[in-house]
Amino acid sequence: MLTEEQQAITNHRRGHARVMAVAGAGKTSTMVAYVLARLREGMDPRLIRVVMFNKAAQEDFSRKLRMATGADALLPPVRTFHAMGRNLAISLAKEGYMPAFDPSPLGDGQTGIEMLKALQAAAGTSALRAAIREEQQQWLDTFAGFVDLVKSTLAAPEVTFAAAGYAEQYQLFVEAFARFEKWRKTAARVTFADFLYDPCRVIANDPALAKYLANRVELFIVDEFQDINDIQFFLLKTLVGERAQLQVVGDADQCIYEFRGAKPEYMLSYFGDRFSHQSYQLSRTFRYGHHIALAAAQLINYNQRRDPLLCISANSVAPSHVELCLQTPDGAALAQACKAQRREGFSYSDMAFLCRTWAQAAPVELALLKQGIPNRVVGGSRVLDRNEIKALLTLIRIMDGEFARQNSSEQSLQLFELLKFCELKIRHEVLKGFASRIVTTGVNALRLSEDSLSIYQERRLQGVADLLEELPQVASVGQGLAAFINKLDLLNAMRDNALNREDGENRAATVSAFIEFVSMQSNQAPRAILSMLGELSDQGGSDVTGTAAVTITTMHRSKGLEWPVVLLPNLSAHYMPYQAGTRRRQEHDDREAERRLMYVAMTRAIKVLYLFAPGLDASNGWPIGQRPDLHQLPSPFLAEMNLDLAAQISTQLDAGVSLFDVTAGDGVVQRYLDAVVPGWTASDTAAQQGLPALGAYLKHAVYGVGRVSDIGELGVTLDFAGQQRFFSRLHATQLFRVEPAADASAGVDAATVTAGFAVGDILAHDKFGRGAVLAIDQHTIAVKFSAGRKTFRLALFQAQKIA
């Protein structure tokens, strides 16, 4: 049975259509129903094309279509973009429009070899060639990303390089791309991306060919339209021509693959700029209840690059629940949540941890392993298999004496990997020589001079030698590892020396998480730690294919999937929004992209959504001179979810009431209630929600009455009697009670007044708007506006005092 929204889409007949579909809205079932309706009306299935975003979606759609029609029915082809491009490229080659090529795509191994050759040839200096050779996987990964980005558009590589904001050290990518393409054309080979790139480049240079290919189909249906890129849109426009109807389905709020060339504008404007169309929406989700729907809707409403589409839980959906939990350093809360849901009847396979980066996965995996909870890492390496952790294990073996009992070849290999880990900036051939000499003569080999080394490198090696000599005397493994890392400043070196900033951050965070985990073990003896890690390694390496296991993966990889229980770890202001990376975007666009990713992660949950964040226990804030770093603060997105209000309204909705504790107005909650409970009424006693206004008086349980003197992206500053304190955005929306200005002002110390203004005053400026006075002297006045701090000559300053 279709809903009214779904039925309206299946009834569409004339012209193009754009369907905005929220997560879990049953869009696949709707598209299947639409295809069936057109077939029943007599449309030739050979004149219909259904295009899905990936192979899994294509197979799912084909299966549902076949189930609805029977085994013998003639059905339209259902393909991915790349499959459609492959067929087109083969046809164009047969007809002489393109050179003949081997349609079997290049494997990763051969592609990597040829890309590495292209990079080496494009490198201008021997030093750069050596750097590429020694860190080849990092260079290959970054270059492969550039190649894919170039092939997502018809623009020149130089244009793509500039638009993506790559660092100057990657300038050789442009020439390397040309060399790789020259080899590929000569060898008549293709990568996966070339199934679209090659035919589209031929079509773009031959208008007659474009005209020849157009108008062969009557109906195109395209899923996940927000995730297409320039070259896919170009091909689609070419094939549609003037004959075909085009129905696109997607959600700009779920566009999370911008690093592949996707843009929310395909749904928002690009489609409409090219095709006059009728818009439809699928606003009801059948995946989760009101609690998750309200929290997600309030979060994504802060984005501007979006449709005014509100995700509403369908009446038939069972209640869901959002749980906000403190992220503890030992990760125990993560494991406890899994065990709690197991007691509620869920299997471990019903649960998934979705991480913003792989760095967050390390403490999750270690915490689960420690508690004996089976887990599988999807799309990444297990923590104990990562190179940086293997180096730390070598250090523990040296502390224990186990290292000395190994054979010389094992010792030499482990020492080489350890020296690489130490970020010495020394050629690998030289490091291998040092590793071999340590095995035969001891760590003093690191103190010997080498002609190829600089003074800095020799001093770094001597520092490593000193630390290796000290290790056997260290009783506490945690302290020994921490001292080794800190004295060599390895965490900063990993971040600074990485080709990709996010990779460097991931390595450093993984090392920190491992050392913190080891330090929390009660028995710090090296033998006990090695034994414990060995048991965890055996557990993590066992076959869990047939076992109910918790999934650990990234938010990006979760797209299109769902689980009854979703857990989002370490939602700090550092990781969400996360701004590391080699490419630059406008700060506002970057924040919106991160908010979309958070929205996608939240909406993978069916029944229970756990949000883990640091700093939830910091209800007394921080002194203004001791502002916490981003790792200590909860994500500002948590405040935007308005979790208390979402819980309150969802509880009332599930109870079937019509009187709600919400202030009247035109907010997200009001729109939600209008859709779900026509004729609802607002309670007269509803409390004000959201961030307080600049200049507002608030009452804190410990500090009493204070006035908001600054509002930033991460939190607010309040002036209490005699002191200023900073509170996270989440605390600012949850801890305080608003006080009437007339009653509250008496409780706040008055500042020294100069020229009619005082520090802490809230004023309105004709150009910069509302602001707070930060400082005043005999000649100047400093004011904090939303645009930043501004300083004016006091004699010429004009503004209206508000509070």
Side-chain angles (χ1 to χ4, degrees):
M1 181 68 70
L2 299 177
T3 67
E4 289 185 10
E5 290 180 335
Q6 292 171 334
Q7 190 64 57
I9 294 166
T10 62
N11 290 339
H12 176 82
R13 292 297 179 270
R14 292 193 172 189
H16 308 295
R18 181 181 72 122
V19 179
M20 300 169 286
V22 302
K27 60 185 176 69
T28 301
S29 299
T30 305
M31 288 188 290
V32 167
Y34 180 66
V35 171
L36 293 175
R38 301 308 296 267
L39 292 175
R40 283 194 296 267
E41 294 168 357
M43 180 174 282
D44 188 339
R46 294 170 298 183
L47 299 179
I48 300 176
R49 297 289 184 273
V50 180
V51 186
M52 309 302 288
F53 186 69
N54 56 38
K55 185 67 175 177
Q58 178 257 326
E59 291 175 345
D60 181 55
F61 190 93
S62 298
R63 178 180 57 82
K64 290 180 178 178
L65 189 60
R66 177 60 66 189
M67 289 175 60
T69 58
D72 298 328
L74 181 62
L75 298 177
V78 182
R79 298 185 178 124
T80 65
F81 266 107
H82 286 90
M84 188 167 64
R86 180 181 184 275
N87 292 343
L88 177 60
I90 291 173
S91 296
L92 292 180
K94 286 181 178 179
E95 296 177 27
Y97 290 102
M98 285 176 50
F101 66 95
D102 182 348
S104 301
L106 286 161
D108 291 341
Q110 188 172 2
T111 301
I113 290 171
E114 297 302 331
M115 283 187 172
L116 185 60
K117 290 179 181 177
L119 285 169
Q120 290 282 6
T125 64
S126 58
L128 183 54
R129 287 192 291 273
I132 293 171
R133 184 170 58 252
E134 296 188 347
E135 301 293 341
Q136 65 180 34
Q137 194 57 55
Q138 294 184 51
W139 278 93
L140 282 175
D141 289 345
T142 309
F143 180 52
F146 173 74
V147 171
D148 282 344
L149 193 61
V150 172
K151 293 184 177 183
S152 73
T153 178
L154 292 172
E158 294 85 351
V159 174
T160 302
F161 186 90
Y166 278 94
E168 186 62 30
Q169 65 176 328
Y170 298 120
Q171 184 63 50
L172 79 160
F173 282 2
V174 174
E175 181 183 342
F177 177 85
R179 291 178 178 274
F180 176 72
E181 286 297 281
K182 182 178 180 180
W183 169 83
R184 190 176 65 80
K185 294 295 185 182
T186 301
R189 299 303 304 272
V190 292
T191 66
F192 194 61
D194 295 318
F195 287 144
L196 288 167
Y197 185 66
D198 286 349
C200 285
R201 282 178 60 84
V202 171
I203 295 168
N205 293 322
D206 190 343
L209 176 59
K211 187 175 181 180
Y212 170 69
L213 295 171
N215 302 313
R216 299 184 178 189
V217 174
E218 289 188 5
L219 175 63
F220 270 98
I221 301 172
V222 183
D223 189 26
E224 301 288 3
F225 191 71
Q226 80 282 345
D227 289 328
I228 71 169
N229 55 38
D230 287 345
I231 211 157
Q232 292 169 333
F233 194 37
F234 170 82
L235 178 61
L236 194 61
K237 290 185 292 184
T238 299
L239 299 180
V240 166
E242 304 301 325
R243 176 188 181 187
Q245 279 183 267
L246 177 58
Q247 184 184 92
V248 300
V249 185
D251 181 6
D253 291 338
Q254 297 185 68
C255 178
I256 61 171
Y257 298 129
E258 289 179 286
F259 58 90
R260 298 179 185 169
K263 301 184 185 77
E265 281 71 25
Y266 285 108
M267 280 295 295
L268 300 176
S269 59
Y270 294 172
F271 178 74
D273 292 343
R274 175 60 179 82
F275 300 102
S276 297
H277 65 277
Q278 177 70 38
S279 287
Y280 299 92
Q281 66 178 30
L282 293 173
S283 63
R284 262 59 177 180
T285 180
F286 299 92
R287 179 177 294 163
Y288 41 82
H290 298 302
H291 198 173
I292 295 176
L294 280 163
Q298 291 182 106
L299 169 71
I300 202 63
N301 191 59
Y302 278 82
N303 273 11
Q304 296 178 11
R305 297 164 66 199
R306 66 183 303 268
D307 286 303
L309 179 63
L310 187 63
C311 179
I312 301 166
S313 179
N315 293 332
S316 60
V317 179
S320 60
H321 178 64
V322 181
E323 187 79 24
L324 180 62
C325 303
L326 177 66
Q327 176 96 30
T328 54
D330 59 1
L334 307 176
Q336 289 167 5
C338 294
K339 290 184 174 181
Q341 291 306 310
R342 183 93 181 278
R343 291 192 294 271
E344 292 294 322
F346 292 106
S347 166
Y348 282 138
S349 59
D350 292 330
M351 308 174 198
F353 282 91
L354 307 182
C355 307
R356 174 58 186 86
T357 74
W358 282 116
Q360 294 173 295
V364 172
E365 184 185 348
L366 289 168
L368 298 188
L369 289 174
K370 181 64 175 175
Q371 292 296 318
I373 297 175
N375 60 84
R376 58 169 58 90
V377 178
V378 178
S381 301
R382 300 199 71 93
V383 62
L384 295 178
D385 292 335
R386 301 183 194 181
N387 290 334
E388 54 269 22
I389 303 305
K390 290 180 179 179
L392 295 179
L393 289 174
T394 296
L395 294 177
I396 301 175
R397 293 189 190 99
I398 294 174
M399 295 181 205
D400 176 63
E402 178 186 305
F403 180 82
R405 296 189 291 272
Q406 298 178 120
N407 62 54
S408 59
S409 61
E410 289 177 335
Q411 290 178 335
S412 181
L413 179 61
Q414 290 178 26
L415 286 170
F416 169 61
E417 295 297 332
L418 177 61
L419 293 176
K420 281 201 305 181
F421 169 76
C422 291
E423 299 288 342
L424 300 168
K425 293 186 177 182
I426 297 174
R427 288 186 295 111
H428 290 182
E429 293 178 2
V430 176
L431 291 181
K432 287 179 180 178
F434 276 113
S436 298
R437 289 195 291 273
I438 293 173
V439 173
T440 56
T441 65
V443 295
N444 274 330
L446 296 177
R447 297 189 174 96
L448 299 178
S449 181
E450 175 93 13
D451 291 341
S452 64
L453 301 183
S454 66
I455 295 176
Y456 167 81
Q457 290 170 328
E458 289 188 349
R459 288 177 178 172
R460 289 280 289 180
L461 280 174
Q462 291 168 7
V464 173
D466 294 340
L467 292 171
L468 290 177
E469 282 186 336
E470 295 171 4
L471 281 177
Q473 284 76 49
V474 174
S476 168
V477 172
Q479 292 178 5
L481 294 179
F484 190 92
I485 296 297
N486 293 335
K487 289 180 180 179
L488 292 175
D489 196 22
L490 283 185
L491 297 183
N492 285 330
M494 289 176 193
R495 298 185 184 102
D496 294 342
N497 296 338
L499 296 175
N500 180 295
R501 182 180 166 191
E502 186 168 335
D503 289 343
E505 173 66 27
N506 281 342
R507 291 185 66 218
T510 299
V511 168
S512 295
F514 179 81
I515 294 177
E516 189 169 27
F517 173 78
V518 167
S519 299
M520 289 181 177
Q521 307 311 309
S522 57
N523 190 340
Q524 286 289 297
R527 172 51 43 189
I529 296 295
L530 285 173
S531 177
M532 181 266 295
L533 293 175
E535 292 175 4
L536 296 186
S537 181
D538 291 340
Q539 179 183 332
S542 63
D543 182 15
V544 295
T545 303
T547 305
V550 177
T551 296
I552 303 174
T553 190
T554 62
M555 293 179 176
H556 282 100
R557 286 182 172 270
S558 73
K559 180 74 178 297
L561 303 175
E562 62 181 23
W563 294 269
V565 180
V566 167
L567 309 97
L568 307 184
N570 200 5
L571 296 176
S572 68
H574 171 77
Y575 282 115
M576 187 53 71
Y578 189 59
Q579 300 184 38
T582 57
R583 300 171 195 162
R584 299 185 299 273
R585 275 197 298 254
Q586 292 288 331
E587 183 176 345
H588 177 74
D589 288 349
D590 182 70
R591 196 174 185 86
E592 291 210 351
E594 291 292 299
R595 194 178 282 114
R596 287 194 297 273
L597 184 58
M598 182 71 182
Y599 176 79
V600 166
M602 294 174 67
T603 55
R604 301 309 94 193
I606 299 173
K607 292 290 292 182
V608 185
L609 172 65
Y610 278 93
L611 306 171
F612 293 93
L616 301 184
D617 53 348
S619 57
N620 291 335
W622 290 268
I624 195 63
Q626 301 174 19
R627 289 275 290 271
D629 66 32
L630 299 182
H631 290 280
Q632 297 173 284
L633 286 171
S635 165
F637 290 166
L638 296 172
E640 295 176 357
M641 294 175 198
N642 217 339
L643 292 168
D644 287 345
L645 182 61
Q648 175 183 300
I649 298 301
S650 64
T651 299
Q652 293 173 318
L653 282 170
D654 293 335
V657 304
S658 58
L659 179 65
F660 294 89
D661 294 331
V662 58
T663 54
D666 188 27
V668 171
V669 172
Q670 289 81 9
R671 290 171 53 206
Y672 194 97
L673 291 175
D674 288 341
V676 178
V677 189
W680 68 278
T681 55
S683 169
D684 294 333
T685 60
Q688 181 178 345
Q689 302 291 337
L691 281 174
L694 196 62
Y697 289 96
L698 306 177
K699 188 170 184 179
H700 187 272
V702 174
Y703 301 109
V705 176
R707 185 167 62 168
V708 179
S709 61
D710 186 26
I711 300 177
E713 291 184 356
L714 301 176
V716 302
T717 300
L718 270 79
D719 292 332
F720 296 100
Q723 65 174 314
Q724 287 186 316
R725 295 193 76 83
F726 172 82
F727 296 86
S728 73
R729 281 196 161 225
L730 184 63
H731 288 124
T733 61
Q734 293 181 337
L735 291 177
F736 298 98
R737 188 178 78 231
V738 178
E739 293 287 305
D743 298 333
S745 59
V748 180
D749 286 349
T752 303
V753 177
T754 303
F757 296 106
V759 173
D761 279 349
I762 309 302
L763 50 80
H765 190 272
D766 289 342
K767 180 177 180 181
F768 298 106
R770 197 176 176 101
V773 178
L774 298 178
I776 304 177
D777 58 28
Q778 291 183 338
H779 304 289
T780 63
I781 178 171
V783 184
K784 173 66 178 297
F785 298 101
S786 59
R789 179 185 176 118
K790 306 290 182 182
T791 302
F792 306 87
R793 290 180 60 186
L794 189 59
L796 301 177
F797 181 68
Q798 293 184 350
Q800 180 181 358
K801 182 177 176 181
I802 297 175

Coordinates of all heavy atoms in Angstrom, one line a residue, residues 624 627 694 707-712 717-719 724 751-752 757-763 770-777 780-792 794 797:
I624 N 37.7 31.6 31.8 CA 37.9 32.2 30.5 C 39.4 32.1 30.0 O 39.7 32.0 28.8 CB 37.4 33.7 30.4 CG1 37.3 34.1 28.9 CG2 38.3 34.6 31.2 CD1 36.3 33.4 28.2
R627 N 40.5 28.1 28.4 CA 39.6 27.5 27.5 C 40.0 26.1 27.1 O 41.2 25.8 26.8 CB 39.5 28.3 26.2 CG 38.7 29.6 26.4 CD 37.2 29.4 26.3 NE 36.8 29.2 24.9 CZ 36.6 30.1 24.0 NH1 36.6 31.4 24.3 NH2 36.2 29.8 22.8
L694 N 22.7 37.2 22.9 CA 23.8 38.1 23.5 C 23.2 39.1 24.4 O 22.2 39.8 24.0 CB 24.5 38.8 22.3 CG 25.9 39.4 22.5 CD1 26.9 38.3 23.0 CD2 26.4 40.1 21.3
R707 N 25.6 37.3 32.7 CA 25.1 37.9 31.4 C 26.0 37.4 30.3 O 27.2 37.3 30.4 CB 25.2 39.4 31.5 CG 24.6 40.0 30.2 CD 24.3 41.5 30.3 NE 25.5 42.3 30.5 CZ 25.6 43.6 30.5 NH1 24.5 44.3 30.2 NH2 26.7 44.2 30.7
V708 N 25.3 37.0 29.2 CA 26.0 36.5 28.0 C 26.8 37.6 27.4 O 26.2 38.6 26.9 CB 25.0 35.8 27.0 CG1 25.8 35.3 25.8 CG2 24.2 34.7 27.7
S709 N 28.1 37.5 27.4 CA 28.9 38.5 26.8 C 29.5 38.2 25.4 O 30.1 39.0 24.7 CB 30.1 38.9 27.7 OG 30.9 37.8 28.0
D710 N 29.5 36.9 25.1 CA 30.0 36.4 23.8 C 29.4 35.1 23.4 O 29.2 34.2 24.3 CB 31.6 36.3 23.9 CG 32.2 36.0 22.6 OD1 31.6 36.3 21.5 OD2 33.3 35.3 22.6
I711 N 29.1 35.0 22.1 CA 28.6 33.7 21.6 C 29.5 33.3 20.4 O 29.6 34.1 19.4 CB 27.1 33.8 21.1 CG1 26.2 34.2 22.3 CG2 26.6 32.5 20.5 CD1 24.8 34.5 21.9
G712 N 30.1 32.2 20.5 CA 31.0 31.7 19.4 C 30.5 30.4 18.8 O 29.4 29.9 19.2
T717 N 30.3 32.8 26.5 CA 31.0 33.3 27.7 C 30.0 34.1 28.5 O 29.2 34.9 27.9 CB 32.1 34.2 27.2 OG1 33.1 33.4 26.5 CG2 32.8 34.7 28.5
L718 N 30.0 33.8 29.8 CA 29.1 34.5 30.7 C 29.9 35.3 31.7 O 30.9 34.8 32.2 CB 28.2 33.6 31.4 CG 26.8 33.3 30.8 CD1 27.0 32.2 29.7 CD2 25.8 32.8 31.8
D719 N 29.5 36.5 32.0 CA 30.1 37.4 33.0 C 29.3 37.2 34.3 O 28.1 37.6 34.3 CB 30.1 38.8 32.6 CG 31.0 39.1 31.4 OD1 32.0 38.4 31.3 OD2 30.7 40.0 30.6
Q724 N 34.6 35.6 34.6 CA 34.0 35.1 33.3 C 34.2 33.6 33.2 O 35.3 33.1 33.6 CB 34.6 35.8 32.2 CG 34.2 37.3 32.0 CD 34.8 37.9 30.7 OE1 36.0 37.6 30.4 NE2 34.0 38.6 30.0
A751 N 30.6 47.3 35.4 CA 31.9 47.6 34.9 C 32.1 49.1 34.9 O 31.2 49.9 34.9 CB 32.2 47.0 33.6
T752 N 33.4 49.5 34.8 CA 33.7 50.9 34.7 C 33.2 51.5 33.4 O 33.4 50.9 32.3 CB 35.2 51.1 34.8 OG1 35.7 50.6 36.0 CG2 35.6 52.6 34.7
F757 N 29.7 53.8 27.5 CA 29.7 52.4 27.3 C 30.6 51.7 28.4 O 31.5 52.3 28.9 CB 30.3 52.0 26.0 CG 29.5 52.5 24.8 CD1 29.9 53.5 24.0 CD2 28.3 51.8 24.5 CE1 29.2 54.0 23.0 CE2 27.5 52.3 23.4 CZ 28.0 53.4 22.7
A758 N 30.2 50.5 28.7 CA 31.0 49.7 29.7 C 31.3 48.4 29.2 O 30.6 47.8 28.3 CB 30.2 49.6 31.0
V759 N 32.4 47.8 29.7 CA 32.8 46.4 29.3 C 31.6 45.5 29.6 O 31.1 45.5 30.7 CB 34.0 45.9 30.0 CG1 34.3 44.5 29.7 CG2 35.2 46.8 29.6
G760 N 31.2 44.7 28.6 CA 30.1 43.8 28.8 C 28.8 44.3 28.2 O 27.8 43.5 28.1
D761 N 28.7 45.6 27.9 CA 27.5 46.2 27.3 C 27.2 45.5 26.0 O 28.1 45.2 25.2 CB 27.7 47.7 27.1 CG 27.4 48.5 28.3 OD1 26.9 47.9 29.3 OD2 27.7 49.7 28.3
I762 N 25.9 45.3 25.7 CA 25.5 44.8 24.4 C 25.0 46.0 23.6 O 24.1 46.8 24.1 CB 24.4 43.8 24.6 CG1 24.8 42.7 25.5 CG2 24.0 43.1 23.2 CD1 26.1 42.0 25.2
L763 N 25.4 46.1 22.4 CA 25.1 47.3 21.6 C 24.7 46.9 20.1 O 25.0 45.8 19.7 CB 26.2 48.3 21.6 CG 27.6 47.9 21.3 CD1 27.9 47.7 19.8 CD2 28.6 48.8 21.9
R770 N 24.7 43.5 16.0 CA 24.7 43.3 17.5 C 26.1 42.9 17.9 O 26.8 42.0 17.3 CB 23.7 42.2 17.8 CG 23.3 42.2 19.3 CD 22.2 41.2 19.4 NE 21.8 41.0 20.8 CZ 20.7 41.5 21.4 NH1 19.9 42.2 20.6 NH2 20.4 41.3 22.6
G771 N 26.6 43.4 19.0 CA 27.9 43.1 19.5 C 28.0 43.3 21.0 O 27.2 43.9 21.6
A772 N 29.2 42.9 21.6 CA 29.4 43.0 23.0 C 30.7 43.7 23.2 O 31.7 43.5 22.5 CB 29.5 41.6 23.7
V773 N 30.8 44.7 24.1 CA 32.0 45.5 24.4 C 33.0 44.6 25.1 O 32.7 44.1 26.2 CB 31.6 46.7 25.2 CG1 32.9 47.5 25.5 CG2 30.6 47.6 24.5
L774 N 34.2 44.5 24.6 CA 35.2 43.7 25.2 C 36.2 44.5 26.0 O 36.6 44.0 27.1 CB 36.0 42.9 24.1 CG 35.2 41.9 23.2 CD1 36.1 41.3 22.1 CD2 34.6 40.8 24.0
A775 N 36.6 45.6 25.6 CA 37.6 46.4 26.3 C 37.4 47.9 25.9 O 37.0 48.2 24.8 CB 39.0 46.0 25.9
I776 N 37.8 48.8 26.8 CA 37.7 50.2 26.6 C 38.9 50.9 27.3 O 39.3 50.5 28.4 CB 36.4 50.9 27.2 CG1 35.2 50.2 26.6 CG2 36.4 52.4 26.9 CD1 33.9 50.7 27.3
D777 N 39.6 51.8 26.6 CA 40.6 52.6 27.2 C 40.4 54.1 26.9 O 39.3 54.4 26.3 CB 42.0 52.2 26.8 CG 42.3 52.2 25.3 OD1 41.6 53.1 24.6 OD2 43.1 51.5 24.8
T780 N 40.3 54.0 22.6 CA 39.7 53.0 21.8 C 38.6 52.2 22.5 O 38.6 52.1 23.7 CB 40.7 52.0 21.2 OG1 41.4 51.3 22.3 CG2 41.8 52.7 20.4
I781 N 37.8 51.5 21.7 CA 36.8 50.6 22.2 C 36.8 49.4 21.3 O 36.8 49.5 20.1 CB 35.4 51.3 22.3 CG1 34.4 50.2 22.8 CG2 34.9 51.8 20.9 CD1 33.0 50.8 23.1
A782 N 36.9 48.2 21.9 CA 36.9 46.9 21.2 C 35.6 46.2 21.4 O 35.1 46.1 22.5 CB 38.1 46.0 21.7
V783 N 35.0 45.8 20.3 CA 33.7 45.1 20.3 C 33.7 43.8 19.6 O 34.3 43.7 18.5 CB 32.6 46.1 19.7 CG1 31.2 45.4 19.8 CG2 32.6 47.5 20.3
K784 N 33.1 42.8 20.1 CA 33.0 41.5 19.5 C 31.7 41.4 18.7 O 30.6 41.4 19.3 CB 33.1 40.4 20.5 CG 32.8 39.0 20.0 CD 33.9 38.5 19.0 CE 33.7 37.1 18.4 NZ 33.7 36.1 19.5
F785 N 31.7 41.3 17.4 CA 30.6 41.1 16.5 C 30.6 39.7 16.0 O 31.6 39.0 16.2 CB 30.6 42.1 15.4 CG 30.5 43.6 15.8 CD1 31.6 44.3 15.8 CD2 29.3 44.1 16.2 CE1 31.6 45.7 16.2 CE2 29.2 45.5 16.6 CZ 30.4 46.2 16.6
S786 N 29.5 39.3 15.3 CA 29.5 38.0 14.7 C 30.6 37.9 13.6 O 31.1 36.8 13.3 CB 28.2 37.7 14.0 OG 27.9 38.7 13.0
A787 N 31.0 39.0 13.0 CA 32.1 39.0 12.0 C 33.4 39.0 12.6 O 34.4 39.0 11.9 CB 31.9 40.3 11.1
G788 N 33.5 39.1 14.0 CA 34.8 39.1 14.6 C 35.0 40.3 15.5 O 34.1 41.2 15.6
R789 N 36.2 40.5 16.1 CA 36.5 41.6 16.9 C 36.9 42.8 16.1 O 37.6 42.7 15.1 CB 37.7 41.2 17.8 CG 38.2 42.3 18.8 CD 39.4 41.9 19.5 NE 40.0 43.0 20.4 CZ 40.1 42.9 21.7 NH1 39.7 41.8 22.3 NH2 40.5 43.9 22.4
K790 N 36.3 44.0 16.5 CA 36.6 45.2 15.8 C 37.0 46.3 16.8 O 36.4 46.3 17.9 CB 35.3 45.7 15.0 CG 34.7 44.7 14.0 CD 35.6 44.5 12.8 CE 35.0 43.5 11.9 NZ 35.9 43.3 10.7
T791 N 38.0 47.1 16.5 CA 38.4 48.1 17.4 C 38.2 49.5 16.7 O 38.5 49.7 15.5 CB 39.9 48.0 17.7 OG1 40.1 46.7 18.3 CG2 40.4 49.1 18.6
F792 N 37.6 50.4 17.5 CA 37.2 51.7 17.0 C 37.9 52.9 17.8 O 38.2 52.6 19.0 CB 35.7 52.0 17.0 CG 34.9 50.9 16.3 CD1 34.5 49.7 17.0 CD2 34.5 51.0 15.0 CE1 33.8 48.7 16.4 CE2 33.8 50.0 14.4 CZ 33.4 48.9 15.1
L794 N 37.5 55.7 20.1 CA 36.4 56.0 21.0 C 35.7 57.3 20.7 O 34.4 57.4 20.8 CB 36.9 56.0 22.5 CG 35.9 56.0 23.6 CD1 34.9 54.8 23.5 CD2 36.6 56.0 24.9
F797 N 33.2 56.7 17.8 CA 32.4 55.5 17.8 C 30.9 55.9 18.1 O 30.6 56.7 19.0 CB 32.9 54.6 18.9 CG 32.1 53.3 19.0 CD1 32.2 52.4 17.9 CD2 31.3 53.0 20.1 CE1 31.5 51.2 18.0 CE2 30.6 51.8 20.1 CZ 30.7 50.9 19.1

